[in-house]
Amino acid sequence: MRPQTIQIFLPAGDPRGMRVAEITTRIVRVIEVPRSQLADFLKMPEAQQVGVYFLMGELSDAGLPRAYIGQSGNVGNRLVQHNQNKDFWNRALVVISLTNSMTQTHALFLEWFAIQQAAKAGRYSLENGNTGSQPYTPAPLLADCHEIHETSATLLATLGQPIFEPLRNATTVPSEKELFCCKGSGADGTGEYTTEGFVVLKGSRGRAENVASIQGTSNERLRELLVKEGVMTVQNGLYVFTRDHLFPSPSTAAMAVMGRSANGWVEWKAANGKTLDEVKRQSVTVAG
């Protein structure tokens, strides 16, 4: 991470309408297009360019925002097609080159790489089917692609879509990371409390059975959906997390691991035995 200056232009003066973002020293531009303003975007010259686009929309059943990643030699025409045949999205974010120098070769690699990185981050439920294999990209173009991706990732996050951002506190010094464990009835989960919620880490093991008190409730349905979406898989009679997953609260995270209602502030404990509550809440006092 390094300091950067980002410029956001509002063509209609509406902060929730179309927004155009760019880093002042780069040639990459991201245009955020509300679906209701697609016709306005089509009038812009950028709509006729080669580009990579991200369709963002409603939440999946498991609570993840849904996204579709694509590319086209004419992004405007492709968005018109998606407007007719894809229901879930409400905003498109289009990545183009200020110098109109992005080629179809760039776009094909950027689409493939973006899908890989978004899946790795695990923040969004991707609507893409077969991700395919890495397209052939000559070395000079490959260097361009990585710079374009880095810039677009920063701009997407700035516009409120951190599709490539890791769930964990990546800026925290590893030795200072505070990991918490939740154990019992065969479950053995490990997680991290972040500014966005509680992240249960890949490899954590959860109890497969649901206790009677949550059967037929939204908690049971959430666990089923996590399995359906591949966040957890059944191994040796336990639920195993296949990737890091962000929960809105420590208690929801503990419930997913334990298969029962749980107070996550008490269930998650640090290596020294202190609860999450003791480490993160009781340690905060009024100055004076």
Side-chain angles (χ1 to χ4, degrees), residues 83-180:
N83 190 43
Q84 296 169 349
N85 57 34
K86 288 189 184 299
D87 293 331
F88 79 92
W89 65 283
N90 51 43
R91 306 183 85 81
L93 289 97
V94 179
V95 180
I96 55 94
S97 165
L98 284 170
T99 57
N100 201 8
S101 57
M102 190 185 301
T103 68
Q104 198 74 50
T105 303
H106 286 106
L108 285 168
F109 177 85
L110 285 166
E111 175 192 40
W112 174 84
F113 190 69
I115 292 171
Q116 307 306 309
Q117 295 303 301
K120 181 180 179 181
R123 282 181 175 271
Y124 287 64
S125 176
L126 295 182
E127 298 293 302
N128 295 80
N130 182 15
T131 59
S133 56
Q134 179 177 345
Y136 171 73
T137 310
L141 269 66
L142 191 62
D144 290 344
C145 287
H146 284 296
E147 183 172 345
I148 292 170
H149 177 81
E150 177 188 349
T151 303
S152 60
T154 299
L155 294 174
L156 286 168
T158 300
L159 292 170
Q161 303 290 354
I163 189 169
F164 303 118
E165 297 295 310
L167 291 172
R168 300 180 66 183
N169 293 325
T171 57
T172 306
V173 178
S175 61
E176 295 177 352
K177 284 185 182 290
E178 294 175 311
L179 298 182
F180 296 86

Side-chain angles (χ1 to χ4, degrees), residues 39 56 64 66 84 102 108 115 129 135 174 182 238 245 256 262:
M56 307 299 194
L64 294 176
R66 297 167 68 187
Q84 296 169 349
M102 190 185 301
L108 285 168
I115 292 171
C182 180
L238 295 171
H245 186 76

Side-chain angles (χ1 to χ4, degrees), residues 101-275:
S101 57
M102 190 185 301
T103 68
Q104 198 74 50
T105 303
H106 286 106
L108 285 168
F109 177 85
L110 285 166
E111 175 192 40
W112 174 84
F113 190 69
I115 292 171
Q116 307 306 309
Q117 295 303 301
K120 181 180 179 181
R123 282 181 175 271
Y124 287 64
S125 176
L126 295 182
E127 298 293 302
N128 295 80
N130 182 15
T131 59
S133 56
Q134 179 177 345
Y136 171 73
T137 310
L141 269 66
L142 191 62
D144 290 344
C145 287
H146 284 296
E147 183 172 345
I148 292 170
H149 177 81
E150 177 188 349
T151 303
S152 60
T154 299
L155 294 174
L156 286 168
T158 300
L159 292 170
Q161 303 290 354
I163 189 169
F164 303 118
E165 297 295 310
L167 291 172
R168 300 180 66 183
N169 293 325
T171 57
T172 306
V173 178
S175 61
E176 295 177 352
K177 284 185 182 290
E178 294 175 311
L179 298 182
F180 296 86
C181 295
C182 180
K183 299 182 179 182
S185 302
D188 187 359
T190 303
E192 183 178 355
Y193 185 56
T194 75
T195 56
E196 297 175 277
F198 197 92
V199 178
V200 176
L201 304 186
K202 177 181 178 180
S204 292
R205 298 189 299 275
R207 180 181 180 181
E209 300 82 11
N210 295 312
V211 300
S213 61
I214 72 165
Q215 291 176 8
T217 69
S218 59
N219 284 337
E220 182 181 49
R221 289 191 292 274
L222 175 59
R223 298 189 90 219
E224 291 172 349
L225 290 169
L226 291 173
V227 174
K228 180 180 178 181
E229 293 205 359
V231 177
M232 300 191 302
T233 186
V234 179
Q235 294 182 18
N236 300 321
L238 295 171
Y239 282 159
V240 178
F241 281 75
T242 62
R243 58 179 183 265
D244 296 351
H245 186 76
L246 174 66
F247 290 93
S249 71
S251 294
T252 305
M255 180 280 300
V257 170
M258 303 295 286
R260 59 172 171 78
S261 297
N263 181 348
W265 292 99
V266 176
E267 298 282 0
W268 293 102
K269 296 180 180 179
N272 60 8
K274 288 188 175 182
T275 65

